[in-house]
Amino acid sequence: MLHSFWPVRIVAITALLGLGCGSSSPPEAMGGPVAMRRLTAAQYRQAIVDAFGPEIEIVGRFEPDNRREGLIAVGSAFVAVTPSGFEQYEAMGNYIAKQVVSEVHRDRLVPCQPRSRTEPDAACTEAFLQRIGPGLLRRPLVDGDVQTRVTAAAAATELMGDFYAGLEVAVTSLLIAPDFLFRVEVAEAGPGFADGLRLTDISLASRLSYLLWNAGPDAALLEVAARSGLSDPDSLGREVDRLLASSRLEDGVRAFFEDVFRFDEFEDIGKDPIRYPAYSAQVALDAREQTLRVVVDHLIARKAAYRDLFTTRRSFMTRALGPVYVVPVRAEEGWEALDFATDHPRAGLLSHASFNMLNAHSGRSSPTLRGVFLREALLCQKVPPAPADVDFSLFNEDDNPKYKTARDRLAVHSSNATCRNCHKLTDPIGLGLEVFDGIGRHRSTENGAPIDTSGDLDGRAFADSVDLGRAFRDSPLIGACLVENVYRYAVGRDPVKSERRLLRYLEGRFEDSGQRLHALLRDVVMSDGFRTATRPRRDPAVEEPAPRVAALPAEKEAT
Amino acid sequence: MRNHDVSALGLLAALALACDSATLGGSEVSITQPPVRGYVMARWSEMIPGVDPGECPEGINIVEADQYPEQWATFMAARQRIRAAGGYLRWDDERLPPDACQDPLSQPDPGFLTLDGPATVYGLDLDGVVSRRTGSSGATCAHDDFVDHDGATGIDNQFWRLMGCVRGYRPNDLVDRLQESNVSIKEASYAILLEITGMDDAQNDDEIEVQLLSAGAPVAMNAVDDVMAHVSITAHENPRYHNAAARGRIENGILTTEPVDLRIKVKQQTSDNEYWLRAARIRAEVGDDGRIKGVVGAYWDIANLFSVLNDQNIGDRPQGRNAANARGFMCAGIYHAMPRVADGHPDPETGQCTSISTAIVFEAVPAFVIRTQVAMAE
């Protein structure tokens, strides 16, 4: 068993050694296969805002996202559009198009007046398409994009006797185009890439922009890409720095952490009102936002070390969230900053209501769910799923007078050999958060019995939830996992074998930077892996995704 | 996502961190008790006592429709016609007698039945003596005291003498049902707040200060329709409703305060007013669950009481007559009855008492009272 996990042990060793030896020069690494990723709901909404402004309403249901290996960013390359989903996209697109060409918005959005309100006007239609098309399709328009839509718009105008009805058809057509609904990446051969391909500048612009802003490239970036400017590392670097310096970086960072933290699951969360009368939909909404605010404030505004997110006393609060945290909130509306006192039992991300309510059941906390989340999302460790025939009856009996605390009940449950192996991974750290109930309110007892939150994280003992945060802060896996997640999120897939050395290099650079997110993002997008791709799989020379358990030569050398 | 070997990593991590082992024990954590404890009222009601046999031997009070049946019949028929046509007939319409709820002297005194016998009620001994109408009433006007549910004597609650024979205030009738459903809290636009300063020990503390004040916002309700605890509520912007702090003490878990005048903002349904409760005292129990339950005993200024009962409006349309009819009294009658039962704050010149002793039962849950800069300066 240990053999199969050998590479990971090496990762840990290199992490513990500080990785300084790998930080000097970037390794050459060819990226994996390109992907065609469906826009997430947030990305779709942002595309509409960028193209038409925030006044345009978006009404409809999006196709459900697909989380794969922990990330929707990876799963989005493995989804299609179902027939009913297409109907939804068409209805949404049509409703958007109606608003865009309506009398309320047309003067602002349509750059020309038609010669006649009742007849086709190809020139005006083309001017309008040229204005909105590149932003929506994330590339310059080609003749086919324009001419087919000008023709369709003219036909609709003839039929309806209304120029703007024709424009509506043209806009709807753009909003259901595969090039809009999917981020289609294209790679090409190029000088210096004999063994693989490089992303086209246009594809690179999208990849870059979606990583840093969670939105398509702006006009400036598209302009640089259109003249092949991103092939030049200096020019690329300037654009990367521009995007990193923009306030829109917050959107990108939020989207990344929402994905890693699985915050899309807030859409389905529900709590027992009898057990948790303080819970409401607003509380859930604010809990989610609170965590994102802390992350953005810490990593972007303060440019602080990622590891310190696990111990920071800095937070933000609303009136709705105040009763969950039992703290006063002066601001009647909106958010206010808050620093928990040093003797307060809240410190770091792990004490946030968001994680603790999300990784819990509707009527009780769950050390196991919390432990699985911490292992998988924050330490990049895989916890096997529970067998289908596990008897949870005792554990669910949380009013059992004999086993008053979750620790008591789990001890009995885990005495079963089938359960023990997984629970020993999850429960010691999950039990460290038992002072937070199913919605993240602090408690010191359960059924009248004091809650013991001591435990150990892979050999590092901790005394309570605050100390658990310190253990996470000190874990060598925290930084390495973030690097891996950022990289996988950026390229939309698992790393291939040749990218392992690149990841080790990026980890070293991240540690050298003091775990600063800006530095990591810049290193990722400037890396070869981000900008290149392997040839299609049908090519015998293609590099398959790395088997997870295979040892790598470079890592063997590191031992 | 990598399939890390947790045990191997744990070993390495433990080795790497061995030098930090002195810090592994962690530290004790506790939530520091704030120097000022805030609460928000979750219940606030004029408690309706149970029925004692023979309490109202002469029956209960009549309403204006009983006193002026022909005019009311004419008015109600017209009102029905006009409503059917989509219109509205005001309660100060000339088909009815003059509106005594707006001008109590516009009608002759129709008389008013009060509860004259003994009864068991909630309340406090506000004047410090067991008063008798035929004997001494201390510094106040002559009245008979009640007995409390816990057996305490000398209970001053002339409000119940006033309202005890009003139909809507009888057990299980309108006001009782409204209070049971807690509308005075749930539908109030302004919550009522309480702060205790200097409470070192919730069981025994000989020096505390207690302040009642109005909030600038309503209570927040939780998922099971109870008042939410631990919310932050901003104090009312008008310092008029930040009452002076009363000195108090806690003995064996029972909190008591010295008298202090209270003005409490009331805005609920058709009422936009304030309570003026004079020489108010609190007797309450500080529970282990953080709640406080008790009684505010006070002298209710009779002019303010008449206004609170009857100055009710929807826009510029007076509703007092409608409300009095629903609750079961006549405004002219109660206006003249109030001085007869008043037992507090005698006028220095005439000796006529100007306030009525009352008792308000309350329950408060922990909250954070937020004061604005203006309020803090005040």
Side-chain angles (χ1 to χ4, degrees):
Chain A
M1 187 67 177
L2 280 177
H3 284 295
S4 62
F5 290 102
W6 179 238
V8 182
R9 292 199 288 165
I10 297 163
V11 171
I13 291 168
T14 49
L16 289 168
L17 292 173
L19 289 162
C21 58
S23 305
S24 54
S25 58
E28 289 183 7
M30 192 57 65
V34 292
M36 193 166 114
R37 287 186 265 177
R38 196 181 67 201
L39 292 189
T40 64
Q43 290 165 348
Y44 183 103
R45 290 180 186 282
Q46 189 58 51
I48 300 304
V49 170
D50 289 345
F52 306 120
E55 300 86 357
I56 302 299
E57 278 189 334
I58 301 167
V59 179
R61 287 186 67 83
F62 290 89
E63 289 265 70
D65 290 320
N66 172 33
R67 184 173 295 284
R68 190 178 175 100
E69 296 297 328
L71 289 179
I72 289 174
V74 174
S76 65
F78 294 85
V79 290
V81 175
T82 62
S84 65
F86 184 79
E87 285 178 11
Q88 281 292 324
Y89 280 124
E90 187 178 26
M92 274 193 285
N94 189 244
Y95 183 62
I96 291 165
K98 274 186 193 305
Q99 297 173 73
V100 168
V101 302
S102 69
E103 291 187 2
V104 178
H105 297 298
R106 69 176 57 143
D107 288 346
R108 178 174 60 87
L109 297 172
V110 182
C112 49
Q113 295 284 334
R115 290 190 308 274
S116 162
R117 288 282 302 270
T118 57
E119 294 175 9
D121 183 335
C124 187
T125 305
E126 182 169 346
F128 178 55
L129 289 170
Q130 287 292 356
R131 177 169 177 167
I132 64 168
L136 288 172
L137 303 188
R138 303 173 285 276
R139 59 172 172 75
L141 299 186
V142 297
D143 284 347
D145 297 324
V146 177
Q147 286 313 314
T148 52
R149 291 182 173 89
V150 167
T151 303
T157 300
E158 297 278 6
L159 191 65
M160 308 290 287
D162 181 356
F163 169 77
Y164 290 103
L167 276 196
E168 184 185 319
V169 169
V171 175
T172 305
S173 162
L174 279 172
L175 296 179
I176 56 173
D179 279 8
F180 169 66
L181 295 176
F182 288 85
R183 296 161 50 193
V184 182
E185 293 182 332
V186 179
E188 61 188 5
F193 292 96
D195 296 334
L197 305 169
R198 59 183 286 280
L199 287 183
T200 64
D201 277 48
I202 294 297
S203 293
L204 183 57
S206 266
R207 189 179 268 196
L208 174 62
S209 186
Y210 274 103
L211 170 63
L212 299 184
W213 289 0
N214 197 36
D218 64 357
L221 181 57
L222 266 187
E223 195 273 326
V224 174
R227 56 180 167 78
S228 301
L230 299 182
S231 302
D232 168 35
D234 292 338
S235 178
L236 172 63
R238 281 193 295 275
E239 282 304 299
V240 171
D241 290 338
R242 181 176 71 83
L243 268 60
L244 283 172
S246 165
S247 61
R248 296 186 68 177
L249 177 64
E250 178 178 334
D251 296 336
V253 171
R254 278 171 165 268
F256 166 72
F257 280 100
E258 282 203 285
D259 198 350
V260 172
F261 294 160
R262 305 174 187 179
F263 277 0
D264 57 300
E265 293 173 8
F266 269 106
E267 306 294 331
D268 302 318
I269 192 172
K271 296 293 174 183
D272 180 347
I274 305 296
R275 291 262 176 132
Y276 304 117
Y279 176 82
S280 67
Q282 189 63 49
V283 164
L285 205 63
D286 286 0
R288 170 183 183 158
E289 173 65 17
Q290 177 194 42
T291 296
L292 294 173
R293 276 179 184 256
V294 169
V295 167
V296 166
D297 174 71
H298 186 86
L299 296 178
I300 300 183
R302 294 166 182 266
K303 293 187 168 64
Y306 170 67
R307 64 169 73 91
D308 292 338
L309 267 177
F310 296 91
T311 53
T312 181
R313 296 277 179 178
R314 178 86 170 167
S315 191
F316 297 89
M317 204 59 63
T318 63
R319 284 265 168 115
L321 212 46
V324 175
Y325 282 82
V326 194
V327 293
V329 184
R330 294 195 64 80
E332 292 184 24
E333 303 284 340
W335 292 84
E336 69 180 27
L338 165 80
D339 288 300
F340 286 110
T342 51
D343 64 346
H344 198 281
R346 302 267 187 184
L349 282 186
L350 305 187
S351 71
H352 281 210
S354 58
F355 299 119
N356 288 297
M357 70 171 67
L358 203 55
N359 297 289
H361 300 290
S362 65
R364 59 179 169 82
S365 66
S366 173
T368 305
L369 288 179
R370 289 170 182 171
V372 170
F373 168 77
L374 297 178
R375 289 279 179 204
E376 294 193 340
L378 302 182
L379 300 176
C380 293
Q381 296 169 332
K382 183 75 177 170
V383 178
D389 58 348
V390 176
D391 178 9
F392 290 106
S393 55
L394 175 62
F395 188 74
N396 289 335
E397 200 181 328
D398 59 358
D399 56 353
N400 187 312
K402 188 175 177 186
Y403 307 108
K404 291 185 173 180
T405 67
R407 184 181 291 271
D408 298 336
R409 294 188 295 277
L410 274 173
V412 179
H413 176 73
S414 303
S415 61
N416 180 328
T418 312
C419 306
R420 190 181 307 128
N421 283 339
C422 292
H423 281 281
K424 75 180 182 185
L425 302 181
T426 58
D427 297 352
I429 53 177
L431 285 167
L433 298 175
E434 266 295 285
V435 282
F436 304 114
D437 69 12
I439 62 168
R441 273 177 69 105
H442 185 268
R443 58 184 180 170
S444 54
T445 60
E446 183 180 9
N447 296 320
I451 294 173
D452 174 8
T453 51
S454 63
D456 80 272
L457 171 64
D458 304 336
R460 198 291 201 188
F462 58 85
D464 51 38
S465 63
V466 175
D467 204 24
L468 173 63
R470 291 188 203 107
F472 266 77
R473 182 199 180 280
D474 297 340
S475 169
L477 298 180
I478 281 295
C481 183
L482 183 76
V483 170
E484 181 172 321
N485 277 333
V486 167
Y487 192 82
R488 293 169 63 238
Y489 180 89
V491 300
R493 55 173 171 75
D494 277 342
V496 294
K497 198 162 56 177
S498 64
E499 289 172 304
R500 287 292 176 195
R501 286 185 63 197
L502 172 61
L503 283 176
R504 301 293 84 75
Y505 166 77
L506 292 171
E507 288 167 20
R509 293 270 297 178
F510 185 48
E511 295 298 328
D512 290 347
S513 75
Q515 289 200 346
R516 264 53 182 192
L517 184 64
H518 284 79
L520 172 60
L521 291 169
R522 195 178 198 285
D523 282 343
V524 166
V525 297
M526 296 301 291
S527 72
D528 282 352
F530 183 79
R531 295 179 293 135
T532 60
T534 49
R535 293 181 179 281
R537 289 188 179 189
R538 63 177 177 272
D539 186 331
V542 71
E543 192 169 31
E544 296 290 344
R548 297 212 163 168
V549 295
L552 304 179
E555 288 166 345
K556 280 182 177 172
E557 286 166 15
T559 61
Chain B
M1 184 175 293
R2 284 172 292 175
N3 217 356
H4 292 180
D5 182 334
V6 178
S7 25
L9 284 176
L11 178 62
L12 290 165
L15 288 171
L17 292 166
C19 55
D20 287 339
S21 59
T23 65
L24 296 184
S27 59
E28 286 294 314
V29 291
S30 62
I31 301 175
T32 305
Q33 201 65 251
V36 180
R37 299 197 200 185
Y39 300 85
V40 60
M41 293 295 176
R43 283 216 165 249
W44 178 269
S45 55
E46 303 132 12
M47 179 57 72
I48 307 295
V51 182
D52 283 346
E55 273 184 343
C56 300
E58 298 175 60
I60 60 171
N61 282 286
I62 61 170
V63 297
E64 210 177 39
D66 301 321
Q67 183 80 352
Y68 303 101
E70 290 180 12
Q71 285 153 290
W72 268 79
T74 305
F75 171 80
M76 293 306 287
R79 189 166 188 266
Q80 205 165 2
R81 282 197 311 276
I82 291 170
R83 285 184 71 173
Y88 178 83
L89 192 57
R90 295 169 61 100
W91 288 100
D92 52 358
D93 184 77
E94 60 187 12
R95 293 177 183 82
L96 288 172
D99 189 348
C101 298
Q102 295 191 76
D103 178 6
L105 298 178
S106 63
Q107 288 181 20
D109 181 4
F112 193 89
L113 299 172
T114 53
L115 188 150
D116 292 330
T120 301
V121 301
Y122 290 90
L124 300 179
D125 180 3
L126 297 173
D127 55 16
V129 294
V130 179
S131 306
R132 296 272 184 275
R133 264 185 299 183
T134 54
S136 168
S137 288
T140 65
C141 300
H143 62 280
D144 285 335
D145 280 349
F146 291 107
V147 175
D148 200 322
H149 284 78
D150 62 6
T153 57
I155 301 303
D156 297 297
N157 193 341
Q158 287 297 95
F159 179 81
W160 183 245
R161 261 198 211 293
L162 180 71
M163 307 307 279
C165 295
V166 171
R167 187 193 68 241
Y169 282 79
R170 301 298 293 166
N172 300 318
D173 214 305
L174 178 67
V175 176
D176 200 6
R177 291 205 307 273
L178 289 174
Q179 291 180 352
E180 181 63 28
S181 58
N182 205 18
V183 291
S184 64
I185 290 293
K186 292 179 182 175
E187 294 188 5
S189 298
Y190 304 106
I192 304 169
L193 309 174
L194 184 148
E195 274 193 336
I196 304 177
T197 306
M199 183 164 70
D200 305 314
D201 180 348
Q203 283 301 304
N204 289 288
D205 196 319
D206 58 4
E207 191 173 358
I208 59 171
E209 285 196 339
V210 180
Q211 185 179 18
L212 269 169
L213 61 166
S214 294
V219 295
M221 306 305 292
N222 65 22
V224 289
D225 205 30
D226 287 334
V227 171
M228 179 93 84
H230 299 115
V231 294
S232 298
I233 306 188
T234 307
H236 199 283
E237 62 184 7
N238 188 344
R240 177 182 176 85
Y241 302 115
H242 303 177
N243 298 291
R247 290 167 59 87
R249 57 189 287 122
I250 303 173
E251 197 168 339
N252 297 324
I254 301 298
L255 177 154
T256 55
T257 65
E258 294 176 7
V260 66
D261 287 353
L262 301 177
R263 285 189 189 274
I264 294 169
K265 181 65 186 164
V266 182
K267 189 173 184 186
Q268 177 195 355
Q269 295 185 344
T270 55
S271 179
D272 186 354
N273 215 314
E274 65 179 27
Y275 289 131
W276 185 19
L277 304 173
R278 306 175 68 183
R281 297 167 183 266
I282 295 174
R283 187 177 194 280
E285 189 175 347
V286 183
D288 294 337
D289 58 356
R291 290 171 176 250
I292 291 187
K293 295 178 183 177
V295 176
V296 175
Y299 289 98
W300 199 336
D301 179 82
I302 58 173
N304 173 249
L305 174 56
F306 186 83
S307 173
V308 167
L309 288 173
N310 303 312
D311 186 10
Q312 315 237 1
N313 300 281
I314 297 176
D316 66 345
R317 298 169 179 173
Q319 302 293 310
R321 160 178 265 158
N322 187 24
N325 210 40
R327 279 182 282 182
F329 63 83
M330 289 178 63
C331 289
I334 203 169
Y335 176 80
H336 291 287
M338 282 178 176
R340 293 201 292 271
V341 299
D343 61 337
H345 298 90
D347 183 286
E349 291 184 7
T350 65
Q352 169 63 50
C353 278
T354 60
S355 63
I356 292 176
S357 57
T358 189
I360 293 165
V361 176
F362 74 90
E363 183 174 343
V365 297
F368 298 102
V369 177
I370 306 296
R371 295 169 188 266
T372 62
Q373 292 300 317
V374 175
M376 290 173 75
E378 176 67 21

